[in-house]
Amino acid sequence: MIDTVKNVILEPEKIPQRNIKDTDKLIEEIIDMVNKYNPNANTDMIYIAYRFAKNLHEGQKRKSGDPYIIHPVEVAYIAAQLALDSTAITACLLHDVVEDTACTYDDVTALFGTSVAELVDGVTKLRQIKYTSREEQQVENLRKMFLAMSKDIRVVIIKLIDRLHNMRTMNFMPRHKQLRISKETLDVYAPLAHRLGIAKIKIELEDLALKYLDPVAYEEIRESINQKKSARDKYIADIMDILRQKLEDMDINGTITGRAKHFYSIWRKMYTQNKTIDSLYDLFAVRVIVDSIQDCYAVLGMVHDLYTPVPMRFKDYIAMPKPNMYQSLHTTVIGPNGTPFEIQIRTWEMHHVAENGIAAHWKYKEGKNGETEMDSKLEWVRTLLDTQQNIIDSDEFFNTLKFDLFSDEVFVFTPQGRVISLPANSTVIDFAFAIHSEVGYKMSGAKINGKIVPNNYQLVNGEIVEILTSNQHGPSRDWLKICKTSRARNKINQWFKRERRDENIVEGKDAIEHELKRLGHTHAQLFRTEWVPILLKKYGFNTLDDLYAAVGYGGLTAGKVVMRLREELLKEIRERERQTELKKMIEQEPQKQPEPEKKSPRSSNGIIVKGIENCLVRLARCCNPVAGDDIVGFITKGRGVSVHRADCTNVMQEHLSMEDRARLIDVTWDAERASTYDANVRITGQDRDGMLLDVTGILITHQVPFRSANAYVTKSGEAVIEVGIQIKNTSDLAKITKLFKQLPGVETVTRSIK
């Protein structure tokens, strides 16, 4: 008989979260989970890795104040939920030890083997190298991850799990970091999870990113869905009852569930279609899971008999799977009351792959080696690496990565019936290079469904594409303006690089000279002996001719080369100006009466400015630094040195111009000088009577001066209390914070910047 589950899930399907602080108990749960899905797993290695990581991270805290070891253990727990092997789970437990402790790659190799060490190294950020911008560092970290990913796909799965847990705990991060990390998550990690087919992680990453990037929209969507929950439950339940009865009549075993679209999907639809949530009707889908592919198509026919299908809204991902291995039948139909809804039909095996993607089945299950079917399914990873490894410029790397990896797909056929997947808007040139680089080099024309088309023709789903070739043909530079994929563009550039090196060197020199003149510089002014090696090292060249050739064949722009050298020139100019201004500031400072004792470099604010004595110092009001905070000085024009917290957005290097970066100066707290400092504390929790009174009572009892107190309740019913207090150092602040956290109903206590 039919096994139908009548579940209506109006919240998105996600990996269950936990609220556990006892990591010893949690590691036991992880080991139990691993033993259930793989009794032969090396769980001893998992436990040893846990004890090793716990000792190394001893004393380290997360922004929440929790012991740091909670993070790698929670990452390992999510990995176990995805049924990863013991090697990957061990690497999850150790993924931060090389980056954040004294442990080295060699230490991990010696204790846990090369496989674990390479996974840990693959997810470790490049922090030892100095970069000119945060964007450059981000791109180089991604480049490193993809290189490691080409050798072992588990690298990127661990990276995704790591990002997921960080996003879950992001409420403890400052606002500017929430925005930056959420945008990176939405731009890179969520689409990457989609490309790997791990729907659970992709959905949760998108929703969490939306929560921080547009909290108002997120809250409105959540409230709207909750308000209409009962009506949607009944509507979906009625449809499911009808489908269940039909499945029984057809003698098909199946499971039926209903689910709402996740928040980000709804938000994106509202944004792209310029609609309110009330005007969107297809906000939910019904999923039918059966035993065989034959049953899938039988159910599809039954659904189209019951309901009117919406034209152009049927997709057969069983016959033509997505590159991430996703398979299912999708059809949108008109419901009983005229409301459209989507039905997805798949087998249990397809469902497992749809939820867990590449983590569902690969050759890394213990004991399996050699070529497997999974190797062919990961061909896109090798293609991605091949197209990215020759890109020199970081900006171009990121742009082409986003296009090739994250854009929508178009599916076309070769004359032999082979399905080729390409990014949307790809041309016949992109198709030619997707078949083989030699086919692209010899392409003389193309046919679509038997008819000749121009080279800039953009492909449409379902077309049959035939490439015409000739040995007398070679790529044209005009193709670089037509093709869309980085694979085609890089192969064309490689051809010009190999075939016309001498011409490329001449063209590269001309292009650089033209750019120098445009910006008002001479070759001698920027191409100095001490700066050229820096330039060559940045872009990975051995000689200037190699660099000129790269500019000539289009692998690097002349503008990038000149701007990089201009940075060195500006650094030199700014440093001279900084030294001059420091000298002026010291000379203009009012002279004090000479004192018998030796001059002290300390200020009245308890701040020591490196290299300057008796200068004017003031604490910045934007972040109110307190003794014990990491601080940095900023030389103002005419007002001495302004002292900020190191995490203040006003002085973070990525937010400053090159001129302003030169005005930063080292400052430290004077341990011998006692002062009081202003601090703003934000307390949130469940709304209750007397909470503000309890907060002020603690301040009065412990004789903590406070300048202000403000309390209000948000739309969601959360109570917020903000108090401005005066303290001596961060230790005092920590004591007061701990007392606040002990109050009934209090959920978070954070220091805020006003």
Side-chain angles (χ1 to χ4, degrees), residues 447-467:
K447 290 182 179 180
I448 298 293
N449 298 331
K451 295 182 179 180
I452 296 288
V453 296
N455 288 343
N456 62 354
Y457 180 87
Q458 293 189 349
L459 303 174
V460 178
N461 274 323
E463 292 179 328
I464 299 174
V465 187
E466 180 184 357
I467 301 298

Side-chain angles (χ1 to χ4, degrees), residues 502-545:
D502 291 341
E503 293 178 26
N504 290 332
I505 291 174
V506 173
E507 290 183 14
K509 285 182 178 179
D510 290 343
I512 289 175
E513 286 298 330
H514 178 77
E515 186 67 13
L516 286 168
K517 289 178 182 178
R518 189 182 71 83
L519 295 174
H521 294 289
T522 64
H523 191 279
Q525 187 181 24
L526 292 187
F527 280 79
R528 294 191 193 172
T529 305
E530 65 270 27
W531 294 346
V532 168
I534 298 173
L535 180 68
L536 296 178
K537 183 178 180 181
K538 173 178 172 58
Y539 293 117
F541 296 117
N542 294 321
T543 67
L544 263 178
D545 279 351

Side-chain angles (χ1 to χ4, degrees), residues 347-388:
T347 66
W348 279 107
E349 182 181 356
M350 294 173 190
H351 180 67
H352 187 47
V353 173
E355 293 299 298
N356 297 323
I358 209 163
H361 52 205
W362 67 44
K363 70 179 180 182
Y364 296 112
K365 303 294 184 183
E366 263 96 349
K368 295 186 180 180
N369 296 299
E371 287 291 314
T372 69
E373 182 185 0
M374 183 56 59
D375 289 280
S376 62
K377 292 182 177 180
L378 291 177
E379 180 62 31
W380 66 270
V381 177
R382 287 182 285 275
T383 301
L384 172 72
L385 181 65
D386 181 53
T387 59
Q388 300 297 330

Side-chain angles (χ1 to χ4, degrees), residues 252-254 289-296 346-349:
I252 293 178
N253 291 323
I289 308 175
V290 293
D291 294 334
S292 68
I293 294 177
Q294 182 179 354
D295 288 344
C296 289
R346 62 179 66 153
T347 66
W348 279 107
E349 182 181 356

Side-chain angles (χ1 to χ4, degrees), residues 245 264 637 648:
Q245 184 59 51
Y264 178 75
K637 295 182 179 179
C648 177

Side-chain angles (χ1 to χ4, degrees), residues 463-482:
E463 292 179 328
I464 299 174
V465 187
E466 180 184 357
I467 301 298
L468 308 176
T469 60
S470 169
N471 289 329
Q472 280 71 46
H473 271 265
S476 164
R477 288 195 183 274
D478 292 336
W479 289 11
L480 292 171
K481 302 174 184 177
I482 297 172

Side-chain angles (χ1 to χ4, degrees), residues 220 222-232 278:
E220 286 178 353
R222 188 186 67 81
E223 289 181 358
S224 180
I225 287 180
N226 287 340
Q227 287 170 2
K228 299 181 180 180
K229 184 176 186 301
S230 59
R232 285 204 181 97
D278 293 330

Side-chain angles (χ1 to χ4, degrees), residues 387-421:
T387 59
Q388 300 297 330
Q389 65 183 355
N390 293 308
I391 297 179
I392 303 164
D393 183 68
S394 296
D395 291 341
E396 185 184 353
F397 176 92
F398 191 66
N399 291 333
T400 55
L401 176 68
K402 288 202 292 186
F403 180 83
D404 281 353
L405 189 57
F406 310 143
S407 62
D408 293 332
E409 298 107 10
V410 59
F411 297 92
V412 291
F413 297 92
T414 67
Q416 294 75 34
R418 177 185 166 195
V419 179
I420 301 295
S421 169

